[in-house]
Amino acid sequence: MNGEKEGVREVKSAARTVELLELLSGMGQAASLRVLSERMGVPRSSLYALLQTLVQRGWVRTDATGTLYTLGIRALLTGTGYIDADTRTAQVRPHLDALSERTGETLHFARLDGADVVYLATRESRHYLRPHSRVGRHLPAHATALGKALLAERTDAQADALLPAELVALTDRTVTDRGELLAELSAVRDRGYATDDGENVEGVRCLAVSLRYDRPATDALSCSIPVSRYSDALAEETLAALRETRSLLEQNVVTDAFTRAAT
């Protein structure tokens, strides 16, 4: 609506600040003023002033030369504050601990954010697997079992609207054809869980289920298993554990919501 929503005009300076922080968050490395200016389509002089303000306030930091920029520690503190205040994450953590004891594999709790999933909690494998996904990281939903489990909670039209124009590949196995992805989402709906076979991290297979305490679901659980240890029997055991945990969470979260409403 050209900067307006429900009669409220967008504050241009605030929008530009958010856009800059989101850009730095997604780059994964330090960036120069020139690169940031080109990516945002903003004059260097205007962007430089904004960067210096954010540097002074700790939201952005620079290297020793003062020419490269990355997110500052204030961004981390704010992200941590979000997780600490999120009631869903607090409710999931003890169940994630129990699931970790039961499976011994790497587990993730994540939330859909547009076309991405954001990792909110992780439990590492006792087998010393070290996948790349960590708390606070965004990954494309189409390339992860977590994301596909959540996209499948929506109609094809709704899922298609969330997806970017181009489906990027994280590995050689990532599904980048839209029609193929939509067909896979249909299969996810039929069987009740999603998978990825090295589509996010090479050599790792993942299983995921959505958590339907909200409709449509925005949260999901996944378990990562290295290909060297993966078997059909282990997959069945893992799915059984994920489903039981899902049932407990959906019951407990709904019960807790009704309890709060009653008081």
Side-chain angles (χ1 to χ4, degrees):
M1 197 181 292
N2 298 324
E4 296 187 12
K5 183 178 181 180
E6 298 180 356
V8 178
R9 184 177 297 277
E10 181 178 81
V11 179
K12 187 175 181 180
S13 59
R16 182 171 292 177
T17 300
V18 172
E19 183 183 356
L20 173 59
L21 293 173
E22 290 180 343
L23 176 59
L24 288 170
S25 174
M27 296 190 75
Q29 61 183 7
S32 66
L33 175 62
R34 177 185 61 79
V35 169
L36 295 172
S37 174
E38 291 175 354
R39 292 281 294 272
M40 293 181 63
V42 175
R44 294 189 195 183
S45 57
S46 299
L47 192 57
Y48 179 77
L50 176 56
L51 281 165
Q52 294 311 305
T53 299
L54 293 173
V55 167
Q56 292 170 14
R57 291 182 173 271
W59 284 89
V60 173
R61 64 187 177 92
T62 63
D63 67 344
T65 68
T67 60
L68 295 176
Y69 301 89
T70 60
L71 284 180
I73 197 167
R74 289 292 170 187
L76 172 63
L77 296 176
T78 300
T80 302
Y82 172 85
I83 293 174
D84 289 344
D86 184 65
T87 56
R88 294 288 194 252
T89 303
Q91 290 165 326
V92 166
R93 279 175 177 152
H95 294 276
L96 209 59
D97 290 337
L99 191 58
S100 177
E101 286 294 321
R102 179 173 174 178
T103 67
E105 304 293 348
T106 296
L107 301 161
H108 296 298
F109 169 62
R111 180 163 296 156
L112 190 66
D113 178 30
D116 296 334
V117 285
V118 186
Y119 291 78
L120 300 181
T122 294
R123 296 295 181 269
E124 297 288 1
S125 167
R126 67 168 69 111
H127 304 287
Y128 305 104
L129 174 66
R130 290 293 182 267
H132 298 291
S133 305
R134 289 294 181 268
V135 172
R137 188 179 182 192
H138 284 68
L139 286 177
H142 71 273
T144 67
L146 285 160
K148 286 187 281 188
L150 291 168
L151 289 173
E153 290 292 314
R154 288 140 179 86
T155 65
D156 280 353
Q158 291 170 333
D160 189 60
L162 286 174
L163 293 168
E166 179 182 0
L167 303 180
V168 300
L170 300 186
T171 74
D172 292 340
R173 291 177 171 270
T174 306
V175 176
T176 58
D177 179 83
R178 222 174 188 83
E180 185 180 346
L181 177 64
L182 291 176
E184 185 172 349
L185 295 183
S186 178
V188 171
R189 295 183 192 108
D190 290 340
R191 66 177 178 247
Y193 66 92
T195 66
D196 86 62
D197 185 1
E199 298 163 49
N200 171 22
V201 180
E202 291 184 2
V204 176
R205 291 183 176 179
C206 296
L207 305 165
V209 296
S210 59
L211 300 174
R212 296 167 179 165
Y213 40 61
D214 293 315
R215 293 297 182 97
T218 58
D219 298 345
L221 288 175
S222 76
C223 182
S224 300
I225 305 171
V227 171
S228 60
R229 250 194 349 272
Y230 189 94
S231 68
D232 290 343
L234 179 57
E236 286 300 320
E237 292 175 10
T238 302
L239 278 171
L242 285 171
R243 285 167 170 153
E244 288 177 25
T245 302
R246 173 174 63 184
S247 295
L248 288 170
L249 275 167
E250 289 175 351
Q251 179 182 357
N252 290 348
V253 169
V254 170
T255 300
D256 182 65
F258 277 116
T259 301
R260 290 199 306 273
T263 58

